[in-house]
């Protein structure tokens, strides 16, 4: 079938391996590929060029604003926003094609799909990490990026179709990758708490990690994913504990800075 009236929008930095997989999953699907890079030093540009993508450079603005900038460069009526470490499953590609061939694109202004993570050698299909539904397909003039710098999402003016096929996500190739992101997200969470004037809470620090473990492992059946499911439940609980502990560290170790420079948190 001919290419769909879609611009595929991707942000990158040193993503040559991930980007090759991502672009292979959408080869021939869309009328336009737009890649915005924030300073790659590997072969990301060559991978994008080989796929026929339009390449742009933009210094890093944060996830939300970088993606909005990428959206502003797209020219097709529809936008499919992907991260470089994602790919369309074969089933999702077929569902997207059917969305346009069946005429559903006239009844809906956007579509979301469940996102499935590959972690510790298996696909995760339970717990806090699944289905992790994301709205990523939207009419260009009716969708915009919103949310916090590290947890962005698309706001849609219109009806959303909930597709059933999975978007594949290779976000954590190993445990160390997850541990490094805990520090990054902890910094962003602390900035928001300080900006909102929310003090450290002992109750939240003690009980919210336990709740996150119980919810993910038991209520959301994380135990069905074997040891990786147990590791994720522990990891999410630990990440929650670190986030709330950061507020205590800030209040007790740097009281003057907390009062006078709420946004000046060193990067991890």
């Amino acid at each position: 079938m001919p290419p769909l009236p879609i611009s595929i929008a991707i942000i990158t930095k040193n993503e040559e391996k991930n980007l090759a997989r991502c672009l292979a999953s959408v080869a021939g699907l869309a009328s336009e590929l737009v890649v915005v890079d924030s300073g790659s030093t590997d072969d990301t540009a060559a991978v994008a060029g080989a796929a026929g993508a339009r390449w742009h450079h933009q210094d890093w603005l944060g996830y939300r604003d970088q993606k909005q900038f990428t959206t502003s460069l797209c020219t097709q009526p529809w936008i499919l926003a992907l991260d470089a470490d994602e790919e369309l499953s074969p089933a999702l590609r077929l569902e997207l094609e059917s969305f346009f061939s069946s005429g559903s694109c006239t009844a809906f202004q956007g579509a979301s799909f469940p996102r499935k993570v590959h972690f510790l050698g298996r696909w995760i299909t339970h717990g806090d990490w699944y289905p992790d539904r994301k709205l990523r397909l939207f009419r260009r003039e009716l969708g915009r990026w919103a949310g916090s710098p590290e947890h962005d999402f698309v706001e849609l003016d219109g009806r959303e179709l909930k597709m059933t096929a999975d978007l594949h996500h290779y976000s954590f190739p190993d445990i160390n990758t997850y541990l490094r992101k805990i520090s990054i997200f902890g910094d962003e969470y602390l900035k928001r708490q300080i900006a909102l004037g929310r003090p450290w809470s002992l109750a939240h620090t003690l009980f919210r990690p336990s709740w996150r473990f119980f919810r993910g492992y038991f209520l959301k059946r994380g135990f069905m994913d074997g040891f990786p499911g147990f590791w994720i439940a522990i990891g999410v609980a630990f990440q929650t504990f670190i986030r709330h502990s950061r507020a205590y560290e800030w209040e007790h170790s740097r009281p003057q800075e907390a009062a006078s420079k709420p946004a000046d948190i060193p990067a991890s």
Side-chain angles (χ1 to χ4, degrees):
M1 64 183 297
L4 301 177
I6 294 174
S7 296
I8 295 179
I10 306 173
I11 62 172
T12 61
K13 184 176 181 181
N14 294 332
E15 292 280 9
E16 59 175 307
K17 294 181 180 179
N18 283 327
L19 185 62
R21 179 179 57 230
C22 177
L23 293 178
S25 75
V26 298
L29 179 70
S31 298
E32 181 179 53
L33 297 174
V34 179
V35 175
V36 172
D37 188 80
S38 55
S40 290
T41 57
D42 62 1
D43 288 332
T44 299
V47 172
R54 289 171 46 210
W55 175 269
H56 301 267
H57 172 82
Q58 171 60 50
D59 291 340
W60 184 242
L61 302 172
Y63 288 101
R64 178 194 59 206
D65 296 338
Q66 193 83 353
K67 290 179 180 181
Q68 185 59 44
F69 175 79
T70 308
T71 297
S72 72
L73 300 174
C74 296
T75 63
Q76 292 297 306
W78 288 83
I79 293 175
L80 175 60
L82 296 175
D83 291 340
D85 60 359
E86 297 172 340
E87 69 172 353
L88 301 186
S89 65
L92 180 54
R93 178 168 175 142
L94 289 174
E95 196 167 5
L96 285 169
E97 292 173 342
S98 176
F99 177 76
F100 288 93
S101 64
S102 68
S104 294
C105 58
T106 62
F108 296 91
Q109 290 71 51
S112 65
F113 7 90
R115 187 168 67 168
K116 184 166 63 176
V117 177
H118 193 267
F119 183 65
L120 293 181
R122 67 177 292 165
W123 291 108
I124 304 301
T125 56
H126 303 85
D128 275 329
W129 285 10
Y130 190 81
D132 190 28
R133 180 168 290 275
K134 299 295 182 182
L135 194 157
R136 293 293 189 77
L137 179 70
F138 55 94
R139 290 198 65 92
R140 179 164 52 89
E141 73 276 12
L142 297 178
R144 72 197 64 83
W145 288 97
S148 63
E150 82 279 19
H151 289 300
D152 50 78
F153 59 89
V154 174
E155 285 184 338
L156 180 69
D157 297 330
R159 296 180 64 201
E160 170 192 343
L161 174 65
K162 294 184 182 296
M163 294 186 176
T164 59
D166 290 325
L167 175 68
H168 290 168
H169 196 199
Y170 298 87
S171 51
F172 303 117
D174 52 43
I175 289 174
N176 281 339
T177 305
Y178 182 86
L179 295 178
R180 285 192 294 270
K181 289 192 175 182
I182 287 179
S183 296
I184 296 170
F185 291 161
D187 287 346
E188 296 298 333
Y189 178 81
L190 178 59
K191 289 178 183 178
R192 292 201 308 275
Q193 295 299 99
I194 294 172
L196 294 171
R198 293 176 179 169
W200 171 74
S201 168
L202 176 61
H204 285 173
T205 306
L206 294 179
F207 294 113
R208 288 190 68 84
S210 300
W211 163 246
R212 291 301 300 270
F213 177 85
F214 180 79
R215 186 184 72 175
Y217 194 64
F218 293 106
L219 298 185
K220 294 187 174 182
R221 300 190 300 163
F223 59 86
M224 297 289 290
D225 288 319
F227 178 75
F230 177 74
W231 198 100
I232 291 168
I234 289 289
V236 170
F238 178 68
Q239 178 180 346
T240 305
F241 179 71
I242 292 297
R243 285 184 173 186
H244 290 285
S245 299
R246 290 296 308 280
Y248 179 91
E249 176 187 44
W250 184 260
E251 290 182 11
H252 289 78
S253 301
R254 305 181 60 179
Q256 292 182 345
E257 289 87 344
S260 61
K261 295 182 179 181
D264 293 344
I265 301 172
S268 299

